[in-house]
Amino acid sequence: MRLPVILGAMLCLATSGGAQQDTATKPRPAADTSHATRESTKLRVYLDCDACDFDYLRTEVTFVDYVRDRQDAAVHILVTNQETGGGGNEFTLTFIGQKRYSSMSDTLRYVSPPAVSPDELRSGLARVIKIGLVRYVARLGDVSRLDVTYKVDSLAAGAAAKKKDPWNFWVFRTTANGFGSGEKADNFVSLNGSLNANRVTELWKTNLTFFGNYGQSRFELADGTNFNTYSHSYGLSDLIVKSLGARWSAGQQASWTSSTFLNQKRAIRFAPAIEYDFFPYSQSTRRMWTLRYASGVNWFRYQDTTIYNRISETRVDQTLTTSLDLKQPWGSISSSIEGAMYLDDTNKRHLVFFNSLDLRLFKGFSLFLFGQASLIHDQLYLPRGDLTDADRLLRQR
């Protein structure tokens, strides 16, 4: 975060005779003193927001002073966000009073529509930040420069209430991108695309996804021959979840995929699951701790015979996952542990641990740690035989 540094200098000019004596003995004008007082009594604010445009906010929200450490602030604004069912984002702005405002706290929300432009997003956040800061600024005692306006549009509100959603809560997204580079001796092309259909209501969540990618490389070797290689993966998946209350939910996930890298001609999975949230969903932007259990059936068809002498097989597995996400004034934690095993052979299992920690220890000093560790013993798809040097270097298998 960059903060401008303003340096002030005073230059005294002396004139001759009585004029010099006059200027030295006269007090400063009252207007100058009151201006300095007002500037020094601005509300000190610490903005804790990953999605905010700080330079823009400094030009739009000018009635506060921004500080670089939360301990120096009178108000700590903690901004968290999550994606909405309609494809936008819901921002939760928590105004945490400190020092003389320690008994005052507020929570406001701003929901951005889908496909919102960056300028519209930062403008909407700035408006909500202004509204949230008004009560704190009013406590400073000088409200002569504050005003409140309220826009009433009853006709538009009535029309919006009667309007029905022709898409019935469904949101569709499609993405496509490509990349290529080349020289005389080598070239590379990569193509990716996806199609997603998403529907979220108070009781149900449905997500359907189709994806595909293709990569091709060509190399001219020292002996003049060409070496060509390609890889692809594609598939589709669905997720259907029903809410069973404030903390419980149940559903199923199914997928059909193909991948040359994983030696899988077909990989089909169907897995019912149940999840418990230790915190209410209404607090999900600030804290979330979930425990999820799933048991699924897997059908594999391999491109080449595996190291276990299989060209196809059916396996039943179970997975237990716990995840913790916290966003607090002292920092943030994102951590998860996943354990899985095949029921017919418990020696085929994996354990994956992930953790990201960002702590503000004291003024001007923060600690960030990131780590991931995996114990993997369930790579059933590994092909039999030795890999060539080209496969290893190009990560084809």
Side-chain angles (χ1 to χ4, degrees), residues 335-349:
S335 183
S336 67
I337 301 177
E338 178 185 282
M341 65 173 61
Y342 289 105
L343 296 182
D344 60 334
D345 186 355
T346 56
N347 289 322
K348 302 295 187 295
R349 59 185 183 269

Side-chain angles (χ1 to χ4, degrees), residues 81-254:
N81 68 289
Q82 65 180 356
E83 189 174 355
T84 65
N89 276 280
E90 179 187 13
F91 292 86
T92 301
L93 295 89
T94 305
F95 296 79
I96 305 169
Q98 301 183 154
K99 301 177 181 178
R100 61 181 289 194
Y101 302 104
S102 58
S103 61
M104 299 169 58
S105 63
D106 269 330
T107 299
L108 301 179
R109 286 180 169 81
Y110 166 65
V111 179
S112 67
V116 66
S117 70
D119 184 64
E120 291 172 321
L121 176 61
R122 66 183 186 177
S123 176
L125 283 172
R127 183 179 63 84
V128 178
I129 289 174
K130 289 179 183 178
I131 295 172
L133 288 173
V134 166
R135 68 178 297 215
Y136 298 96
V137 176
R139 290 293 184 95
L140 290 175
D142 182 11
V143 295
S144 60
R145 291 182 292 174
L146 291 178
D147 200 1
V148 177
T149 59
Y150 178 73
K151 298 178 182 179
V152 179
D153 194 353
S154 55
L155 295 177
K162 296 178 182 179
K163 186 178 179 180
K164 293 184 178 180
D165 179 10
W167 296 96
N168 192 25
F169 296 104
W170 282 100
V171 178
F172 298 91
R173 290 181 178 179
T174 181
T175 63
N177 61 77
F179 173 78
S181 65
E183 299 177 354
K184 182 179 180 181
D186 64 84
N187 56 65
F188 169 77
V189 174
S190 175
L191 303 173
N192 301 274
S194 67
L195 176 64
N196 176 265
N198 193 44
R199 184 178 188 269
V200 179
T201 65
E202 188 175 351
L203 294 178
W204 289 91
K205 177 179 180 179
T206 304
N207 184 281
L208 307 174
T209 302
F210 171 78
F211 72 92
N213 62 71
Y214 175 83
Q216 178 176 312
S217 302
R218 182 192 66 83
F219 299 90
E220 183 178 320
L221 304 181
D223 59 3
T225 61
N226 289 332
F227 176 79
N228 299 316
T229 180
Y230 80 97
S231 64
H232 73 260
S233 65
Y234 54 86
L236 52 91
S237 64
D238 79 82
L239 173 68
I240 301 175
V241 180
K242 186 181 189 304
S243 172
L244 303 179
R247 300 176 185 270
W248 287 97
S249 60
Q252 63 84 24
Q253 188 172 17

Side-chain angles (χ1 to χ4, degrees), residues 307-376:
I307 57 176
Y308 300 105
N309 294 317
R310 300 288 183 90
I311 195 65
S312 64
E313 59 184 322
T314 300
R315 298 271 188 163
V316 179
D317 66 6
Q318 62 178 354
T319 305
L320 183 64
T321 307
T322 181
S323 301
L324 175 66
D325 288 284
L326 297 177
K327 179 78 172 178
Q328 300 296 324
W330 45 260
S332 62
I333 295 176
S334 180
S335 183
S336 67
I337 301 177
E338 178 185 282
M341 65 173 61
Y342 289 105
L343 296 182
D344 60 334
D345 186 355
T346 56
N347 289 322
K348 302 295 187 295
R349 59 185 183 269
H350 72 252
L351 181 67
V352 179
F353 170 74
F354 166 83
N355 185 71
S356 175
L357 177 66
D358 188 359
L359 291 179
R360 301 185 182 101
L361 298 180
F362 51 85
K363 183 176 179 179
F365 189 85
S366 297
L367 175 66
F368 178 75
L369 297 174
F370 172 87
Q372 180 172 333
S374 304
L375 298 174
I376 302 176

